[in-house]
Structure formats: structure tokens, C-alpha cells
Amino acid sequence: MGTAVRAKTAPAWHRRRVRIYDREAPLGYLLLAPTLVVLGIFLLYPFLFGIWLSVTDSELGNLGSFIGLDNFRFEWRNTDGVFYTAVVNTFLYTGITTVFKLSLGLIMALLLNQAFPFRRFVRAALLLPYIIPTVLSYEAWRWMFDPTFSVINWLLVNTHLAPYPGPNWLGVPFNAMAALMIVNVWRGTPFYAIAFLAGMQVIPVDLYEAARVDGATRWQQFTNITVPMLRPVLLVVLLLSTILTFADFQGPFVLTNGAPYNSTQLLSIWAYQWGIPGGAISLGAAISLVLFPLLTLVVAGVLFLLRRPE
Amino acid sequence: MAAVARVKVRRPGTGRVIGDRFVGRALRIYLPLLVMLVVTLFPFYWMAITSFKSASELFDFSVSPLWVREPTLDWYRHLFTQTNFPRWAFNTAIVAIASTLISLFCSILAGYSLARLRYRGADTIGWGIFVTYLVPPTLLFLPLTFVIRELHLFNNLWALILTYPTFLIPFCTWMLMGFFKGIPRELEEAALVDGATRIQAMVRIAIPLALPGILAAALFAFTLSWNEFLYALIFMNDSLVKTIPVGVTQELIHGDEFFWGELMAAALLGSVPVAVLYSFFVDYFVAGMTAGAVKG
Amino acid sequence: MTQGNRAKSGWSRREFLKTAGVAAATIAFPEIIISCGPQSSSTPTATIPKPRKGASIRLLQWTSFVKPADDEFVRQAQEWGAANGVTVAVEKVTGDQLQPKTAAAVEAGSGPDIIQMEYAWPQLYTDSCLDVSNEVNILIGKLGKPDPVNEAFCKVNGVWRAIPYTIVPNAWTYRTDYFQQAGVTSFPKTWDELTTAAGKLKATGKPISQTDGHAYGDSLTMWNPVLWGFGGKEVNADGKTVAINSKETRDAIRWAQGAVKAGLVVHPEWLDPDNNQAYHADRISGTLNGASIYIREKIEFHHYTDVTNNAPMPSGPKGTFAMNLIFNHAVMKWSPDAETAKAMLLALMEKDSYLKWTTVASGYNVGPFDAFHNDPIFAADPKLKAFEDVVAPGKWPGWPASPSKKTAQSQTQYIVADMFAKALANGGTGDIEAAVGAAETSLKAIFERP
């Protein structure tokens, strides 16, 4: 779209653009080639196969035949409400954790961008939750939440912040959802922080200097320079994190596996339960693809936002 | 560095300078940092303490569980003598490094191509690359298994090195697109006018300027590969080709009994060295870039 | 098979090879007799599978709690491999991980030659499991009647799709000192007595506790037997008609609510390891589990070994029921050396080696054939007897319907456990009708799905 605007206002540019445009196509495709080859081999087939599965009656080990949207209809009509619980929980889980991860990650990046003693140590330390193998950290959290051995509750009780025996973290629906979110935020925040920190490095220092000369406060510098300049990074990180959180399986699976009585059920776990232990792979695929159209729109929207300021 | 410079630049008379030095700075930086450190590190402290506790002390909450009375190195010893942990760590590192390099190579080129070059279909391809994320890996692994079988890569680290880029490249590409777009077009155009080719402009100007983004992408890619669990579980069979997350859970969880000391020892050994390594990288890109290539 | 010739059924490898070597010596064993039942030691016609020299066999199974038992299993397999010129690899993964690995193998049509099947996996993966009727019949000839629960899982539409391997029995492990302190002299024989006992034990501060959450083993082994003990069932024997909405189901739930109000503590957040840990930490006085708690006390902690005992399942008004973990071995259709794989499984099931293995397993496993009854390991430690006693009243999830894909789905969606958990929320005061209603809707969704 940048081209179009320029074409109207500056014919000279236009001509030059067209020339470069012609020359750029082969190079553009050439540079894309390695990516397309890797993704084509290892992703395209599984991706299309996954979509195809969702409109068949396949079971594990038996390729079924096309049945249209019956799998989606089956879940849609599911009257016991587990599916809807899963949809609502998935949105809550993604939405709430994203707000926290985004704001905490931004704060963390701003802090890490300052000079202070032991900065190297502090940076490494704050990155740790993101580095530790997920399965192991989730097991550790599960143990910290275990009512019998909850060191969190031990602290709460011994500092008189909560009456004995402390909250039942994973056994009460509300607490269990909160526990899932706490762990996700703990793990996900450094991801945002690293990305923002990197983004801050490419903001030209002159911008801040100029703003300071103009007497801009720190807050004004933040809202008028840092945030707009971070926008491309922010959008990509936000998008990726949203999608990954939507599909997050490992953490919730280790921590609650949907218990107590499906109150922490998420689409990813529900899809897994039908698809793998239940063998109804087509239904599992349908459940995990049920939000595909919506997410596609979100991706398209963010892509649009990302491209606009050229 | 930047902050110090900022304080100096601030003109006297704009107020809050004295408060800024001590109380202000403490409230603004040290206090929130401290809170974040405590929250972030507490689980690690707990893991560390756990890894030094004997099995019976582990379950004893009659005295403070926050300290260890009779520290033991048994779990660590066991980890190194009774399991293939060193080998798992080696495998994990190989896979993570190789898949990160492949992903970076692909996504630097693709990111540059999509951000800077104009040609038909660029938007659609960029969009298509990202949309692939929308099929969750909990099911994607089934058809992928079929591909791995056809390529005869089962039980071979190459299976992981080649499949991990599928979830690394899309993100890295998009992330780098953002960074490439942030670099003023004029810099490259100046080079082109001076007679450089597109490739030269990319290698000499765009890539160095996007270095913080490249390093950040590398960090993500490395970490995601380091932690990946599902594909490693499905594609690897022998103990000698396992990665840390898979090897540790498979050989340290027996039926319904967890061996926490060893699990936590493995978790720490699987993360702290990498974190230390990271801190140097992070420092490098932060320090290197504030030196101000962008200014020029 | 009678007691008398069981002693002779030690069926050594050498004899086995000799028999196999003599070309004509295939032993007759007509199908008809098998289907009549196990009274059949005489007339064999089975073809004994021959191992191929140079073959390589990969077996996938779970990491058992008793590590030495895993090691013994591997040792036996490799010893057999060495003697027959076969490379044997045993791959072990955790219980959670076994299913996705199996699913991937089934989907790819390639993978381990032998996979350990948990519960109704032969029903889920029927087409990928080779017919092993011939081999099971050989075993029946040697070892007698197979355990009915293993049989229900292994036999799909009359064809054996897996070879019975083992049972991990689940019984109550409890603290005799706390029971005495509370004035309970022996472990309750009925569910109603359990309510009374739970009330008394709550007063000691160490309650009887169990999960009602999404625990892969402990939750199912508790709440299915409770449901059955009061006459409830998920579905009729036809495997189609959902029958959860009954007076019997409500009786079972009312008992559970009464027990919780009296002092039984249920934990919807507990997974399988949690009750073990709570017990080892002296937090609870009793729980339902595999023998792992007792064994780990006995061989590792030694804290409460003397004051720990085990007891079988209490009875309900409609009888005594139990549920145990059931494992079987399937030979997969993609195996290039299926005959070798079958031969290896037969060798491992041979009485001498099998009993050697259960001895190392210290009571965690029970053999699935008549010949393994009265395993000396259970006589060696009388406290382990309870684990042998829960085998006979054992049933499978979905009973009285035969195991099927549908029962597997209801099992892995924890529908029975969730029904109890809903009714037991807030100290056993949940809405019974809502709990039964939700379970019925979920079951109908599963069983009426085409």
C-alpha cells in the first residue's frame, strides 16, 4: 500500500519502484525458498491433514470418510457443557494471562534496560523461568501447590497471611484456574521481557535526547517514543503468545488435567482426551480447530496493523 | 549506562533530581526488581533446596521446609552415575543449537524478503507462514510421525533438528520482519545508490542493524528447542538419543512414585547453566546496541 | 490346568526349541475347546512361534514403580534374545507418555514390535494388533485359565489381540497405630463400616483420604468399585444403553456424601503420586493405592513399615468389587518379525521366569493366569495378601458392558469420578441430581455418538 500512495504523489518514485519491483521478485522468492522448503516438508502436510481429519470420522489407525461438519456439530450440541466450559476457560486463561504477561514483561524490560549493580546476574535470574524445561517446572509447581506439601501455604500460614491449612490451590475450581494462570504468567513473562528489551535497543537514542531537550517527562517519553517504537515487536510477540497460550497443553495437563470435575477444562486438553486416549482423532482435531476461523481473523488483523506504518 | 547518562543530561531546576538519585531510584528500580526477583526465583530456591534433601526430610514439614538440615549430594551423584543425564544434556544442546541455526538462517532471509522486497504474494505468504501455528501440536504430531517415518528419521536426532524449525521459523520470521521494518529504508537505499547489490545491502547494513532482534530470536529458538517435549517424546526411543525433558521424566518418575530430589536436581542442571550463558548474550546485545549503530 | 501338572509346566527354552525344531511336532489345540473354557490342558494344535536369528525386537512399556522389577524384565528379555540370536531393546516411558507414543506408532503404522496395552487399548487399536489367539491358547494350555479382566481387554470380538501380561492390584494401605488409637480394630469390611471408621480416624487428625480428581489410576480404582458395590453402572451390558441415572447410582453417591461428612477426606486435586506422598509424610491414616506405598515404606523409608497394613476392598450392598490396573502385550502388525516377538512374549510368560519377575516386583504385580495364583511372594509377606485378594473381585471400567472404544472414552474423561467429585464438593454437600444428570449427558454423548 505504501507503493500506491507514493505512486500518486510522486510519479518519479513510481517509475523507480516498478523497476525495483520487477527486479526484487526473483530475489524475494529465493530468500523465501529455505523457509518454504522446511515448512513445506514438515508442516504443510501435517497441517492439511489435521484440517482434513476434522471433517472425517477417522479414528486412530483407521482413516475414515468425509462427514462434513458433523464433528463440529457434535461439540456444538454437547449438552453437558464441558465443551463450553472449555471454550470459556480457554478465553479466560489466554486473555487474563496475556494482560499480565504483557504488562509485567514491559515493566521487566524497562527495569532490565537500566544500569544497576549485578545487572548480569539479575538478567540471568529473571530469564530462568523461561529456560527451565517446562515439564520439570510444572511438576515443581504442582508440588508447591500440593495441599499436603504446599510450601506456599506453609509460608502463608507461618506469616499469618492465611489461616491453617491455607488455600486449596488445585482442588477448588476458582483457585485451580488461578493457579494455572499464575504458573503461565511466571513462565511467560520473561518471553515478553526479552522481546521488548531487544526492541528497545533499536530505538534511536536521539529520539530520547530530543524529547528531553523539549522537556518531556519520563512518562511522556515512554508513551510517545518507547511504546510506538515497540509496536512491531509488541504485536508479533502478542500474537505469538496469544496463539501459544490458546494451545497451551503441557502446563494445564500436568497441573490439573481438567480437574476438579472439568472446571479447569481447556480446549487443548479436551481435544487431547477425545483424540488420543479416546481414539476419536477426528473429533479431537475438530475441537482444536474450532477456533481456527476466529484466530485466523485475529492473525490477519494483526498483520494488517503491522504493515500500515511504512 | 543509559540511565546514568539520562540523569546527567537532566537539567537542574526541572525538579525531582535529588529525590531521583536515592528514594526515587530505589522506588522506581530496586523495589520492583526485588519483588520480581523474589517471585521469579522462589520456585528455583525451592527446587535447589529439594535437590539437597534426603527422601525422608523431603516429606517432613514439622520444621521449616525452607532449609535443609542434612544436605546430601546423593541425587546429583545418582543423576550422573545411574542415568544418562550428561548424554541427554549433550543431545539437547546439539539439537537446540542446530535447529536454532537452521531457523535463524531461514528466517533472516525470509524476514528480510517479506519486510523489504516487493513482489506478488508476499503478504499472502507472510500470512500463511503464521497461520500454520493455529493447528495445535497436540494433534499435529500424529501426521508428522508419518513424515518422519517416510524419511527414516525415527530415533535420530535429525528428526528433532528438522522438525523444531517448523515452530521456530514462523515466529522468528515475523519477529525479524518487525526489526527489518524498523530500520530506515534510506540507509540501504544509500548503499544501493553507491552500487552495492541487494544482497550486499542486506548483509552489510540490514542484518547488523537488526542484530538485537536476531539475538532475541535466537534466544527464543534456542529456549523453545531446549524445552521441547512432545516431538522428542514421540520421535526418540533409545535412552542415548533422549533430550533432558524426556529422559528425566521417563527415568525419574516410577509409576506413581516421584523422585523429587533427582527430578529437581535435573531441572536445575538443565536450566541454570543455560541461564548463565544467556546473561552474556543478553548483555552483549544490550551493551552492543546502546553503543548506537542506529544513530549513524 | 490342575494343580498337579502345574509343577511340570516349567517349559524351558531348550524344550521349547526342541519342540519347535521337530517340524511335525506342532501340537494340536482345537479352537472349539478354547472357547468352551480353560479345562483344556490335553489336546493342543497350536503352532509354536519360532524366533528368527538376527531379528531385532523393540518392546515399549511403562516405567513400573519397582525399578528392580523393570530391570529383571529387561534382563530376562535380553537373556532370551542372547540365547536366540535376537537383539532385544526395551523402551520405558511413564504411564502418561505411553499413550501418545502408542497413538503415534499406530498412526504412522510403524514403531515398536511389542507395545504394552493398558486397559482397553486393544479395543482402541484393534486393527494394529496382530491376532495372538494361537499364542494365548498355548499359554492357556500351560498356565490355565486367564484372568477374566485381562481376557475382557485382550479379546476383541472373539479374537485375542494381546497376550495377558499382568495386573497391578489396588488395595487399601492403612496405619494400624492410628486405627487402634481411634478404636478401629480391623480395616472396614463394608463401605458403611468405612464411614464409621473414617469418622473415628478424623478425630486423630490423620484422616482416611482418597482422590476424586483426574488421577489416571487411583480415582478410577476407587469410584468405579463404589458405584458397582451399590448396584450402579454406567451402561447396560449391551454397551449401548446408558444406565447411570438410577436409584443405585444415587445410593452410591449418598454413601459417599455420608462418608465425607463423617470424615473421609476426598481430594479432587490429587493425582496418582499425591496419596503416596501424603502417606509417607504421616499425613493420612489410610488410602487406596497399588502396593507402591507399602513397598517403598518397606524397602526405603522404614518409618511406618511395622504400623502399616493392607486390606482388600470393602463390600457394598450388591457385593464386593475392585478395579486394578491391567497391562497386556500386543504384537503390532507392522513388526517385521512378529513370530520372533510372539516367541519372546511366550518365553517371558513362562512360569519360572514370570515368578522370578513377580518376586522382584515385591507384590506390585500379580500374574494373569491360574498358574500364578498363590504366588509365593504373597505368602512371604502376609501383609501383601490383600493385594492378591483384590484380583478376584476385579472388574473393568464400563462393566458390565464389554470394554470398547466407548468405555475407554468414558474412562479417560473421568465421568464416574467427576460425578462423585461434583456431589462431594463443599464437604459432601454437592447437588446429587445435577451430578447424575451431567454424567448421564456426558455418557449419552459418548455412547450414542455414531
Side-chain angles (χ1 to χ4, degrees):
Chain A
M1 67 207 83
T3 326
V5 173
R6 280 187 191 133
K8 259 184 207 161
T9 49
W13 263 100
H14 186 203
R15 251 174 284 130
R16 196 172 147 215
R17 278 287 150 197
V18 169
R19 197 163 50 81
I20 293 175
Y21 187 101
D22 290 339
R23 231 179 33 202
E24 284 177 349
L27 183 64
Y29 289 119
L30 185 73
L31 295 181
L32 269 181
T35 295
L36 295 182
V37 168
V38 172
L39 296 187
I41 295 174
F42 292 102
L43 205 54
L44 190 64
Y45 166 74
F47 174 74
L48 296 177
F49 191 82
I51 294 176
W52 180 77
L53 273 181
S54 70
V55 292
T56 65
D57 57 359
S58 306
E59 291 180 330
L60 268 180
N62 292 315
L63 286 186
S65 43
F66 182 77
I67 55 163
L69 295 177
D70 280 6
N71 288 320
F72 294 92
R73 240 173 262 142
F74 173 80
E75 279 308 318
W76 225 243
R77 282 204 215 108
N78 193 348
T79 39
D80 64 358
V82 182
F83 173 71
Y84 293 107
T85 311
V87 172
V88 171
N89 283 347
T90 306
F91 272 99
L92 285 177
Y93 181 68
T94 310
I96 294 175
T97 57
T98 302
V99 169
F100 275 99
K101 284 185 281 190
L102 183 69
S103 39
L104 290 174
L106 195 53
I107 294 171
M108 199 185 272
L110 286 171
L111 290 173
L112 289 180
N113 206 22
Q114 307 290 318
F116 51 83
F118 305 112
R119 190 165 62 161
R120 184 171 280 185
F121 162 78
V122 172
R123 277 187 187 141
L126 290 180
L127 286 180
L128 269 172
Y130 188 61
I131 297 165
I132 184 169
T134 339
V135 254
L136 301 176
S137 63
Y138 287 142
E139 292 288 2
W141 273 99
R142 197 185 146 72
W143 200 35
M144 297 203 303
F145 282 135
D146 184 308
T148 321
F149 303 103
S150 174
V151 66
I152 300 174
N153 283 2
W154 190 89
L155 281 173
L156 290 178
V157 170
N158 280 275
T159 52
H160 303 285
L161 286 173
Y164 184 83
N168 183 346
W169 285 101
L170 300 174
V172 178
F174 180 84
N175 294 1
M177 265 326 271
L180 290 186
M181 291 177 192
I182 289 172
V183 180
N184 186 280
V185 170
W186 175 81
R187 177 178 157 66
T189 302
F191 173 86
Y192 282 83
I194 306 169
F196 292 152
L197 192 57
M200 286 172 189
Q201 306 315 310
V202 290
I203 302 177
V205 184
D206 345 10
L207 288 180
Y208 290 105
E209 280 165 8
R212 257 180 251 120
V213 170
D214 293 345
T217 63
R218 239 187 219 104
W219 177 250
Q220 283 169 333
Q221 291 174 26
F222 174 72
T223 51
N224 293 327
I225 303 175
T226 314
V227 172
M229 292 300 282
L230 277 182
R231 203 174 72 142
V233 178
L234 191 140
L235 285 173
V236 174
V237 171
L238 192 62
L239 187 59
L240 180 88
S241 162
T242 308
I243 290 172
L244 290 187
T245 315
F246 247 101
D248 189 15
F249 173 75
Q250 218 167 45
F253 181 74
V254 169
L255 285 170
T256 66
N257 194 10
Y261 39 86
N262 287 331
S263 59
T264 61
Q265 192 62 267
L266 298 174
L267 283 173
S268 57
I269 300 181
W270 190 232
Y272 178 82
Q273 279 188 351
W274 271 106
I276 308 295
I281 181 70
S282 56
L283 190 52
I287 294 170
S288 46
L289 286 176
V290 85
L291 297 171
F292 186 86
L294 186 74
L295 287 179
T296 310
L297 280 180
V298 174
V299 175
V302 173
L303 182 76
F304 179 74
L305 283 175
L306 193 61
R307 292 194 64 88
R308 221 173 38 192
E310 284 261 332
Chain B
M1 292 303 132
V4 177
R6 218 169 282 170
V7 174
K8 278 185 191 153
V9 167
R10 183 178 284 275
R11 290 191 166 67
T14 50
R16 304 201 333 259
V17 175
I18 294 170
D20 203 73
R21 288 249 166 85
F22 292 103
V23 185
R25 199 168 159 78
L27 280 179
R28 205 162 42 79
I29 298 177
Y30 296 124
L31 187 70
L33 262 181
L34 193 71
V35 172
M36 278 191 174
L37 274 176
V38 168
V39 173
T40 306
L41 290 189
F42 182 72
F44 289 92
Y45 174 73
W46 184 236
M47 288 182 210
I49 279 293
T50 304
S51 70
F52 292 114
K53 283 183 180 177
S54 68
S56 49
E57 196 177 330
L58 215 56
F59 296 129
D60 184 1
F61 270 49
S62 56
V63 288
S64 169
L66 290 176
W67 194 239
V68 48
R69 274 163 294 153
E70 290 163 33
T72 167
L73 283 174
D74 280 0
W75 302 122
Y76 288 92
R77 198 174 302 130
H78 191 262
L79 197 60
F80 279 96
T81 55
Q82 307 290 304
T83 72
N84 289 317
F85 186 81
R87 183 61 191 252
W88 299 336
F90 176 75
N91 292 340
T92 316
I94 293 287
V95 169
I97 291 170
S99 52
T100 301
L101 289 178
I102 293 177
S103 306
L104 281 184
F105 175 75
C106 291
S107 42
I108 288 173
L109 299 185
Y112 183 83
S113 166
L114 293 171
R116 270 290 192 264
L117 304 177
R118 295 163 184 287
Y119 51 92
R120 231 175 291 280
D123 281 5
T124 322
I125 294 172
W127 179 81
I129 286 177
F130 213 98
V131 163
T132 54
Y133 265 134
L134 299 184
V135 177
T138 32
L139 292 162
L140 204 61
F141 80 87
L142 285 175
L144 196 54
T145 313
F146 184 77
V147 177
I148 296 298
R149 187 194 82 169
E150 289 303 296
L151 295 172
H152 301 285
L153 288 178
F154 263 112
N155 210 18
N156 185 328
L157 289 179
W158 276 105
L160 305 183
I161 293 173
L162 292 173
T163 48
Y164 286 1
T166 57
F167 58 82
L168 303 177
I169 291 178
F171 172 70
C172 291
T173 303
W174 269 55
M175 172 117 182
L176 291 176
M177 274 166 70
F179 276 89
F180 283 128
K181 278 186 181 152
I183 298 166
R185 209 174 253 283
E186 292 72 24
L187 291 178
E188 271 176 280
E189 273 161 8
L192 290 179
V193 170
D194 288 348
T197 64
R198 253 301 180 190
I199 304 260
Q200 283 167 335
M202 176 180 89
V203 173
R204 296 211 188 126
I205 294 169
I207 291 183
L209 287 182
L211 205 59
I214 294 174
L215 278 168
L219 286 183
F220 293 135
F222 186 86
T223 313
L224 285 176
S225 323
W226 186 264
N227 290 332
E228 203 281 339
F229 178 73
L230 188 63
Y231 292 165
L233 166 70
I234 302 298
F235 301 145
M236 299 296 119
N237 300 320
D238 294 336
S239 188
L240 286 179
V241 291
K242 279 175 189 164
T243 58
I244 292 177
V246 173
V248 166
T249 50
Q250 283 178 3
E251 302 196 16
L252 302 182
I253 295 176
H254 300 289
D256 55 1
E257 292 277 2
F258 278 53
F259 291 79
W260 285 112
E262 230 170 318
L263 276 170
M264 295 300 103
L268 281 182
L269 289 180
S271 53
V272 174
V274 187
V276 172
L277 200 69
Y278 268 31
S279 70
F280 287 95
F281 271 112
V282 175
D283 236 39
Y284 169 73
F285 82 62
V286 173
M289 295 325 291
T290 26
V294 178
K295 264 192 203 167
Chain C
M1 171 159 292
T2 61
Q3 197 71 21
N5 63 10
R6 191 185 296 155
K8 280 196 284 182
S9 68
W11 183 50
S12 80
R13 191 186 53 78
R14 184 164 305 156
E15 278 164 358
F16 165 81
L17 284 178
K18 215 190 289 167
T19 332
V22 184
T26 45
I27 319 154
F29 203 88
E31 282 288 328
I32 306 147
I33 293 186
I34 303 137
S35 50
C36 297
Q39 72 276 54
S40 53
S41 57
S42 47
T43 45
T45 50
T47 328
I48 294 183
K50 278 188 243 173
R52 181 179 71 80
K53 223 184 192 106
S56 92
I57 294 295
R58 202 148 57 77
L59 183 150
L60 174 67
Q61 64 176 19
W62 85 325
T63 314
S64 150
F65 154 67
V66 191
K67 195 170 180 299
D70 276 350
D71 297 343
E72 170 66 11
F73 182 86
V74 175
R75 190 195 63 75
Q76 289 186 9
Q78 282 174 346
E79 188 182 80
W80 177 87
N84 291 281
V86 175
T87 321
V88 179
V90 178
E91 186 192 348
K92 285 166 291 180
V93 301
T94 66
D96 272 352
Q97 299 171 354
L98 191 54
Q99 187 126 33
K101 280 213 84 138
T102 306
V106 166
E107 197 63 21
S110 104
D113 304 271
I114 304 168
I115 296 181
Q116 172 182 295
M117 301 268 130
E118 303 181 2
Y119 298 119
W121 293 9
Q123 279 74 18
L124 284 177
Y125 312 125
T126 312
D127 293 346
S128 302
C129 303
L130 288 180
D131 179 350
V132 287
S133 303
N134 171 56
E135 288 66 32
V136 177
N137 290 334
I138 295 174
L139 286 175
I140 292 173
K142 293 283 176 190
L143 302 170
K145 191 175 166 338
D147 181 90
V149 183
N150 289 75
E151 178 167 356
F153 283 128
C154 291
K155 217 172 182 177
V156 187
N157 301 324
V159 176
W160 289 88
R161 295 285 174 181
I163 296 176
Y165 168 43
T166 193
I167 298 159
V168 176
N170 273 243
W172 291 83
T173 298
Y174 67 103
R175 290 279 294 271
T176 48
D177 51 346
Y178 288 129
F179 270 59
Q180 242 155 23
Q181 194 184 320
V184 185
T185 47
S186 66
F187 196 84
K189 298 275 185 298
T190 67
W191 290 117
D192 287 332
E193 285 173 38
L194 185 78
T195 304
T196 320
K200 291 181 183 163
L201 277 146
K202 180 158 201 193
T204 68
K206 312 284 178 180
I208 301 177
S209 300
Q210 188 63 10
T211 172
D212 60 348
H214 287 187
Y216 176 79
D218 296 341
S219 197
L220 300 165
T221 57
M222 171 77 189
W223 299 106
N224 279 306
V226 168
L227 179 69
W228 298 328
F230 287 84
K233 57 190 170 185
E234 288 170 77
V235 61
N236 283 337
D238 62 4
K240 290 192 183 96
T241 324
V242 174
I244 192 81
N245 192 350
S246 68
K247 181 189 156 296
E248 288 79 8
T249 303
R250 288 177 178 75
D251 289 344
I253 296 178
R254 256 179 234 114
W255 168 80
Q257 289 192 332
V260 167
K261 282 176 195 153
L264 175 74
V265 178
V266 289
H267 290 279
E269 71 280 10
W270 272 6
L271 298 182
D272 289 275
D274 292 294
N275 59 342
N276 300 43
Q277 289 170 4
Y279 192 93
H280 295 316
D282 190 25
R283 297 299 181 94
I284 58 175
S285 59
T287 190
L288 176 69
N289 201 60
S292 46
I293 295 180
Y294 176 64
I295 298 173
R296 205 173 177 200
E297 278 296 335
K298 194 168 137 185
I299 63 177
E300 188 178 348
F301 295 132
H302 315 294
H303 289 164
Y304 314 115
T305 322
D306 294 340
V307 289
T308 293
N309 202 349
N310 306 296
M313 293 298 277
S315 309
K318 299 289 163 64
T320 313
F321 293 90
M323 206 194 110
N324 306 302
L325 272 72
I326 304 293
F327 297 124
N328 304 299
H329 279 132
V331 178
M332 309 313 290
K333 71 167 180 201
W334 51 78
S335 169
D337 285 297
E339 289 302 297
T340 312
K342 291 172 182 174
M344 182 175 98
L345 288 177
L346 285 184
L348 290 169
M349 291 307 290
E350 195 183 320
K351 191 177 173 186
D352 286 352
S353 33
Y354 194 88
L355 287 182
K356 209 182 268 173
W357 175 69
T358 53
T359 307
V360 179
S362 330
Y364 193 61
N365 295 84
V366 173
F369 287 95
D370 266 355
F372 301 127
H373 288 181
N374 306 316
D375 187 329
I377 185 72
F378 295 102
D381 182 351
K383 284 186 178 175
L384 281 171
K385 183 79 174 58
F387 290 97
E388 203 181 21
D389 292 344
V390 293
V391 172
K395 297 281 181 252
W396 54 87
W399 179 86
S402 306
S404 65
K405 284 182 177 143
K406 308 286 184 191
T407 63
Q409 286 161 1
S410 126
Q411 176 188 356
T412 50
Q413 290 175 17
Y414 302 97
I415 288 173
V416 170
D418 279 355
M419 177 179 76
F420 280 98
K422 265 179 212 163
L424 296 181
N426 305 319
T429 58
D431 182 348
I432 299 185
E433 290 313 310
V436 176
E440 187 181 27
T441 335
S442 293
L443 286 172
K444 280 191 169 159
I446 290 170
F447 284 92
E448 288 170 7
R449 191 173 161 262

